[in-house]
Amino acid sequence: MTGRRSHFSTRPFLSKAATLIATATATAVGASLLTGCGMLPGATGGSREPITVMTWAPVGTSATNMPGMPAMAEAYARWVNANGGLAGHELKVLTCNERNNTVGAAKCAKQAVRENAIAVVGSYSQHGRAFMAPLEVAGIPFLGGYGASDQEFTSPLSYPVNGGQPALLAGNGRQLARDCDRVSLVRPDTVAGDGLPILLGSGLAEGDRKAPTDIRAAEDANDYTASARQALTSAGAFDAYRSGKGCVTAVLGDHTETFFDSFRRLESEAPREVGVASVLGSVGQPLLDRTGGKDGPFEGAYVTGWYPVASDARWNPMREVIKEHAFADNRIDPAEPGVQTTWIAYTVLKAIIESLAKGGGDGDTDSVSASDVVGALNRVEGVDTGGLTPTLSWRLEHMLATRDFPRIINRDVTFQVVRRGRLVSVKEGFVDVGDTLVQAPSAG
């Protein structure tokens, strides 16, 4: 069409009704857009401020690695945010590579402070001195760590969900005391490893067994022939005339497999067989599958864990979350205790945030701070984890009466054994090792 553009305006002739309709429509669309931007899927009310937490673990190091812990945290966040968040709050998970050293642990803690995290949840580090100090200064709780450092059981801002390495070693001693006359312990030559012989010995003493032979080993060695020979010798493997049964338990994290490679080569030369043992985190179902299952080197091994075996139906909710939100993520193995601990820790976090929403004055808390979480954790009478642990409470009356580990509130372990390549329960239910921990000599 050609010709001059008309400058004639129709605006003065819009009817009043049309104007009202246009205004109402614009208002409705704007309200709809605001609602859509301000709500999480599945939320029932207006949006609350996001909640930021951190999960750290060592990844890609030459020692123990726990990549499944931050991966599980991320999957949990995707699941919970797809279902309305934590009491209407979007969950933001920061992850950090702790790198298995003090510098990395301190950096992760400082990042959590800098990013205004309200908690560090389901994390692994042996370097409690490096990470707890920055968290304590900022008032940030450490919720559900792996239990690899002493500070997790002494700091007033630590809220463990299991008994950590202390409970595992005490339990392993009790488990071995039934069958083993002599026990060799191969453990890391680290600060975290120094207390393990005392704890294992406390469990053995309950069965009137003598203290274990303490064999220190490098945490990141590529060969453990010397340590394996010393362990076998102390257990009586080379003494054909020695009576009683000897056992070797190794607690070397990811390098436990490397130790047992050396151990099996030497064992074939010995005139006597010895029993083998370990704890979850050093030996687990993923390792059994990788090393040949029922035909592998761990058949018949004694293993002490914190939780029910991986095939237990109580893990089904976690498995469903992994299937829906992390199916292709090969970092996550539902049988790995770091993944399981992270699931339990976030289960507790969810319960705590929901309790704040219900009991926070008018019941409409738009923001949550670290101090809010600390207060709720200190008050909570019990958090149900679906039977994966006893009901958890960090009130003073639930603390362990021991100087070295006062923050342990879950003293339960499970006794397991490798049969036909699978970890199965030896004893129905949990075993309480609280008395064993109390009776252990102080490391201080």
Side-chain angles (χ1 to χ4, degrees):
M1 181 176 179
T2 60
R4 292 182 300 172
R5 178 178 296 174
S6 171
H7 294 284
F8 179 76
S9 175
T10 60
R11 186 172 297 168
F13 296 97
L14 282 172
S15 68
K16 183 177 181 180
T19 303
L20 289 173
I21 292 171
T23 303
T25 302
T27 302
V29 170
S32 175
L33 289 173
L34 287 171
T35 302
C37 291
M39 288 184 64
L40 289 164
T44 57
S47 176
R48 293 169 171 173
E49 289 188 10
I51 287 173
T52 299
V53 300
M54 174 175 277
T55 297
W56 65 55
V59 178
T61 74
S62 60
T64 297
N65 294 289
M66 292 284 177
M69 297 182 79
M72 183 70 242
E74 292 170 336
Y76 188 95
R78 288 192 291 271
W79 169 68
V80 82
N81 288 336
N83 291 278
L86 297 179
H89 299 272
E90 178 189 359
L91 176 61
K92 293 186 175 181
V93 172
L94 308 173
T95 62
C96 185
N97 186 353
E98 181 266 359
R99 299 186 185 279
N100 259 326
N101 60 51
T102 56
V103 174
K107 282 184 176 180
C108 288
K110 290 174 182 177
Q111 182 186 348
V113 174
R114 190 169 59 251
E115 300 279 356
N116 296 315
I118 64 163
V120 173
V121 186
S123 297
Y124 178 100
S125 178
Q126 298 183 44
H127 305 290
R129 292 180 183 176
F131 71 74
M132 277 308 309
L135 297 183
E136 288 175 343
V137 170
I140 298 174
F142 187 73
L143 172 58
Y146 194 84
S149 68
D150 290 347
Q151 286 72 22
E152 293 177 58
F153 303 110
T154 57
S155 171
L157 283 181
S158 179
Y159 299 86
V161 299
N162 59 49
Q165 292 285 72
L168 291 181
L169 268 293
N172 198 231
R174 284 180 56 175
Q175 189 174 5
L176 293 176
R178 298 179 303 174
D179 299 320
C180 306
D181 297 289
R182 297 172 306 284
V183 175
S184 300
L185 169 64
V186 184
R187 52 86 172 183
D189 187 11
T190 62
V191 172
D194 287 343
L196 303 187
I198 295 173
L199 294 161
L200 184 71
S202 182
L204 289 169
E206 289 197 14
D208 296 322
R209 306 294 190 183
K210 66 179 184 179
T213 301
D214 180 21
I215 301 171
R216 302 181 183 187
E219 188 179 29
D220 56 356
N222 294 319
D223 180 81
Y224 289 96
T225 299
S227 300
R229 185 175 296 280
Q230 186 180 355
L232 283 162
T233 301
S234 298
F238 296 108
D239 187 348
Y241 303 101
R242 198 168 186 173
S243 62
K245 181 177 181 179
C247 294
V248 173
T249 186
V251 183
L252 292 166
D254 283 358
H255 284 253
T256 302
E257 178 182 0
T258 306
F259 168 79
F260 276 111
D261 284 343
S262 301
F263 177 90
R264 290 304 184 191
R265 287 196 298 272
L266 288 174
E267 187 190 32
S268 63
E269 305 170 6
R272 294 184 51 151
E273 290 187 1
V274 300
V276 298
S278 190
V279 298
L280 280 186
S282 289
V283 170
Q285 194 59 55
L287 175 58
L288 303 181
D289 295 340
R290 191 168 66 245
T291 54
K294 64 183 178 64
D295 298 318
F298 297 101
E299 185 68 17
Y302 305 95
V303 180
T304 307
W306 294 305
Y307 314 124
V309 293
S311 58
D312 194 286
R314 284 170 283 187
W315 291 113
N316 287 349
M318 179 188 73
R319 291 179 178 277
E320 284 299 312
V321 169
I322 294 171
K323 180 180 178 181
E324 293 177 15
H325 296 275
F327 181 74
D329 194 336
N330 59 14
R331 295 174 298 170
I332 302 178
D333 189 320
E336 202 278 306
V339 169
Q340 295 172 345
T341 299
T342 303
W343 169 261
I344 292 170
Y346 274 91
T347 298
V348 173
L349 177 70
K350 184 174 186 289
I352 290 300
I353 300 302
E354 289 174 349
S355 75
L356 287 170
K358 292 176 182 177
D362 60 2
D364 188 25
T365 305
D366 289 334
S367 62
V368 176
S369 67
S371 62
D372 292 331
V373 175
V374 169
L377 285 166
N378 289 338
R379 292 189 304 269
V380 67
E381 294 185 2
V383 176
D384 182 4
T385 62
L388 297 171
T389 68
T391 300
L392 301 176
S393 172
W394 296 269
R395 294 164 67 96
L396 185 61
E397 59 266 31
H398 298 126
M399 299 292 176
L400 187 67
T402 177
R403 190 186 79 173
D404 289 343
F405 314 109
R407 300 288 294 180
I408 290 182
I409 53 104
N410 176 6
R411 280 85 96 167
D412 287 357
V413 298
T414 54
F415 289 169
Q416 302 170 27
V417 68
V418 181
R419 289 181 182 151
R420 299 185 62 80
R422 307 299 297 176
L423 276 168
V424 297
S425 297
V426 174
K427 179 180 176 64
E428 189 71 23
F430 295 98
V431 177
D432 188 335
V433 297
D435 290 342
T436 310
L437 291 168
V438 169
Q439 292 165 13
S442 176

